Amino acid sequence: MTGGLPAVGAARRWWVLAVVLLCFLPAAMDVTILTITVPTLARELPASATELLWTVDVYSLLMVGLVLVSGPLGDRIGHQRLLLVGLAVFGAASVLCARAPEAPALIGARALLAVGASMIIPATLALIRQTFGDGRDHAVAVGAWSAVAAGASALGPVVGGFLLQHFWWGSIFLVNLPIVALAMPAVALLLRNEVEAERQPWEATSPLLSIVGFLGSAYAIIALSHDDVGPAEVALPAGLGLTALVLFVRRQRRAAHPMVDLSLFRLPGLRAGVVAAVLPALVMVGFELQLVQYLQFVNGLSAKAAALHLLPMPVAATLAGPVGGLVLSRLGRPRIDVPAGLLLAATGYVLVASGTVVPLGLALIGFGHGLVQMVASNLIMTTAPSSQAGAAAGIESVSYEAGAGLGIAVFGTVTAMAYRFLVPPGTSTSPLHAANSPGTARAFAAAFHTATWLAAALTLVTIFLAAPKSVPAHAPSEEPG
C-alpha cells in the first residue's frame, strides 16, 4: 500500500480524523435512532410488532454480510473512494426511508441504508489506520472513533425523540442529509485515495452465506415471540441460518483469498477484541430498545421526555472513548480496561433493574460500554497486520453489527415472551398494547426488568470471555501464522 503515516502531516491528520468522524456519525446513530419511534410507527404506518422489530434490526443484520464485501473492497479501490460511494448511497437511502408509505417499504429502504453504512464504517476505521499508523496517536484516534460509535448509538434515541417532538417520523432520516452534504466535499478534498498494489479475486458467495446465516438465525429468535409459534417456524430458519454460517466458515478456511482471514483469529488480541465488541454491543443495543419502550408504554413519557431521560448514557459513552484512549496510549493496559468497563456497565444494569438511582445506572452503562468499545476497536485494528487494515476494519464492523443485530432480536424476544407470560388473561399479548391498562403496563414493566437482569448477567459473563491475555494496546503488528 502506498502512503501511510509519513505522507500525512502531524496537523493535517487531525483534520482527517475530524472528517472521518463526521462521516461515521450518522451511520453509527442509525443503528438505534429508530428505536424511540416504535410507538409512533405502530400508530402511523401502521406496523405490527414483528414488522417493527425487523424495521429496527434489518440495518445491523444486513451489514454483517455487506461489510465482508466493502472492507476488502476498500483495500482494492481505496478507502477514500469507498467512503464517497457509501455516503452517496446512504444519503439517497435516507430520503427513501423518510418517504416510505408502509412498513415493508421502510424495511426495504433500511436495507439500502445498510448498504451505504457498510461502506462508510470499515472505510473510516481503515483510514484512521492508514493515517495514524500504530503509535500512541493511533490509540487516541481510535478512542475518538469509539467515542462516536458508543456515543452515537446511545444518542440515537435521544436525537430521535427530539425530532419526533417537533416533526414527523421521517425527519429522523432526513437529518442525515446535511451531514452527508458537508462530508462528501471534505472527503474529496482532504483525504487521499490509496490502494493495494495486488488485487485479490472477488466472489459473492461468502457475503451471501453470511447474510443468510444471520438473517435466518435472527428470524428463528424473533419467531419465538410470535403467538402460537410452531416448531417448524423456529427450526427451519434456524437450521438454514446455522447451515449457512457453517458453510461460510468452511469456505473462508479453504479459500485462497478469503473475505475474512480466519488466521487473524490466531492472534490473542484480535480474538479478545472481537468478543469485547460483539457481546457488549448485543447487550447495550438490545437493552436500549426495550428501555425506550418501557419509558413510553409504562411511564407514559412523550418521545422528547424519554429522550431527556436517556441523556446520561450518550454523555457518559462519549466521554469514555477519549478518556480511555488517553489512558490506553499512556499505560497500554487493555487487560484492566476491558473488565473495568464491563463491571461498570454491569453495575449500571443492576441499578436500573432494581429501580434505584436509574440516572446513575444509565451513566455507568454508557461509560462502561464506551470504554470497552474503544479498547475492542484498538485491539482489533492494531493487532492485525497493516496490509490487512481493510480486512481488520471489516471484522471490527462485523463484530459490532452482529452484536447489535442479535441483541435487538434476543432482547426483543425475551421481553415479548416474558410479557406474554405475565399479561392479564383476556388482553392482547402484543407489547405494543402495553399502555392500554394498568395491568398490561405492570406486565411490561416486569418483562423489561427481566431483560435488564439478563443484560447484567451477560455483561458479567463477558468479563471472563473478553479479557485479553497480555496484549499491549498498540503492539507492533505480527503476521498471523
Side-chain angles (χ1 to χ4, degrees):
M1 180 176 293
T2 62
L5 183 58
V8 182
R12 182 174 175 272
R13 56 183 174 169
W14 296 108
W15 283 106
V16 171
L17 177 64
V19 171
V20 164
L21 295 182
L22 177 67
C23 297
F24 177 47
L25 176 63
M29 191 179 300
D30 270 65
V31 174
T32 58
I33 196 171
L34 201 60
T35 58
I36 204 163
T37 67
V38 166
T40 303
L41 293 177
R43 181 176 64 253
E44 295 189 10
L45 281 182
S48 67
T50 300
E51 287 175 328
L52 290 171
L53 205 53
W54 278 110
T55 300
V56 176
D57 212 7
V58 70
Y59 181 79
S60 295
L61 289 174
L62 276 182
M63 271 200 283
V64 174
L66 293 172
V67 295
L68 298 178
V69 178
S70 58
L73 178 62
D75 291 334
R76 291 164 55 88
I77 69 171
H79 297 288
Q80 183 244 30
R81 186 174 300 165
L82 180 70
L83 185 55
L84 284 171
V85 175
L87 287 168
V89 173
F90 193 84
S94 296
V95 175
L96 293 177
C97 287
R99 295 298 181 183
E102 54 189 12
L106 181 56
I107 293 171
R110 284 274 287 174
L112 182 61
L113 197 70
V115 174
S118 70
M119 302 179 195
I120 295 171
I121 294 176
T124 56
L125 266 177
L127 285 164
I128 288 174
R129 176 67 179 270
Q130 288 180 356
T131 303
F132 288 89
D134 295 325
R136 174 178 296 181
D137 286 346
H138 179 270
V140 176
V142 171
W145 187 94
S146 300
V148 174
S153 294
L155 188 64
V158 177
V159 174
F162 278 91
L163 289 172
L164 284 178
Q165 187 70 21
H166 302 287
F167 309 101
W168 101 109
W169 63 266
S171 63
I172 66 174
F173 297 106
L174 294 182
V175 74
N176 296 329
L177 299 184
I179 300 176
V180 171
L182 179 64
M184 289 189 70
V187 169
L189 293 173
L190 189 62
L191 275 61
R192 297 174 181 174
N193 198 55
E194 301 175 355
V195 300
E196 289 284 352
E198 298 182 3
R199 298 190 175 188
Q200 298 180 356
W202 203 249
E203 55 101 5
T205 304
S206 292
L208 180 61
L209 287 172
S210 175
I211 291 172
V212 171
F214 278 96
L215 284 177
S217 301
Y219 186 94
I221 295 170
I222 293 172
L224 292 171
S225 66
H226 299 171
D227 288 330
D228 302 320
V229 60
E233 189 179 356
V234 176
L236 289 179
L240 177 63
L242 293 176
T243 300
L245 291 176
V246 170
L247 291 175
F248 170 78
V249 172
R250 291 183 63 185
R251 188 174 183 86
Q252 300 314 296
R253 285 181 173 176
R254 296 177 178 181
H257 301 284
M259 283 194 162
V260 176
D261 188 352
L262 297 181
S263 66
L264 288 173
F265 285 85
R266 298 174 189 169
L267 303 173
L270 189 135
R271 287 200 307 271
V274 168
V275 174
V278 172
L279 292 179
L282 184 153
V283 172
M284 187 184 77
V285 176
F287 161 78
E288 193 170 31
L289 174 60
Q290 304 313 311
L291 175 60
V292 296
Q293 293 181 70
Y294 169 80
L295 292 173
Q296 294 179 78
F297 291 153
V298 178
N299 291 356
L301 299 183
S302 66
K304 181 180 179 180
L308 288 172
H309 192 94
L310 293 172
L311 269 178
M313 279 184 69
V315 171
T318 304
L319 290 175
V323 170
L326 183 62
V327 172
L328 194 61
S329 68
R330 295 181 180 278
L331 302 179
R333 295 180 179 177
R335 296 183 68 187
I336 298 175
D337 289 349
V338 171
L342 291 170
L343 189 59
L344 286 175
T347 302
Y349 287 122
V350 170
L351 290 176
V352 174
S354 61
T356 57
V357 202
V358 172
L360 175 61
L362 294 177
L364 291 175
I365 291 169
F367 192 90
H369 281 297
L371 181 62
V372 172
Q373 178 67 40
M374 183 279 303
V375 178
S377 299
N378 194 64
L379 281 171
I380 293 171
M381 293 305 298
T382 58
T383 303
S386 58
S387 61
Q388 293 179 279
I395 290 174
E396 203 283 341
S397 302
V398 165
S399 300
Y400 179 80
E401 300 303 336
L406 293 176
I408 291 169
V410 169
F411 278 80
T413 298
V414 167
T415 303
M417 292 177 67
Y419 178 77
R420 191 167 62 214
F421 178 78
L422 296 166
V423 73
T427 57
S428 171
T429 58
S430 171
L432 296 177
H433 300 147
N436 287 358
S437 70
T440 54
R442 284 193 298 269
F444 191 90
F448 166 72
H449 288 117
T450 298
T452 307
W453 283 113
L454 175 63
L458 289 176
T459 304
L460 289 173
V461 169
T462 309
I463 293 176
F464 301 99
L465 298 177
K469 298 179 180 179
S470 302
V471 181
H474 41 78
S477 298
E478 55 177 309
E479 294 292 340

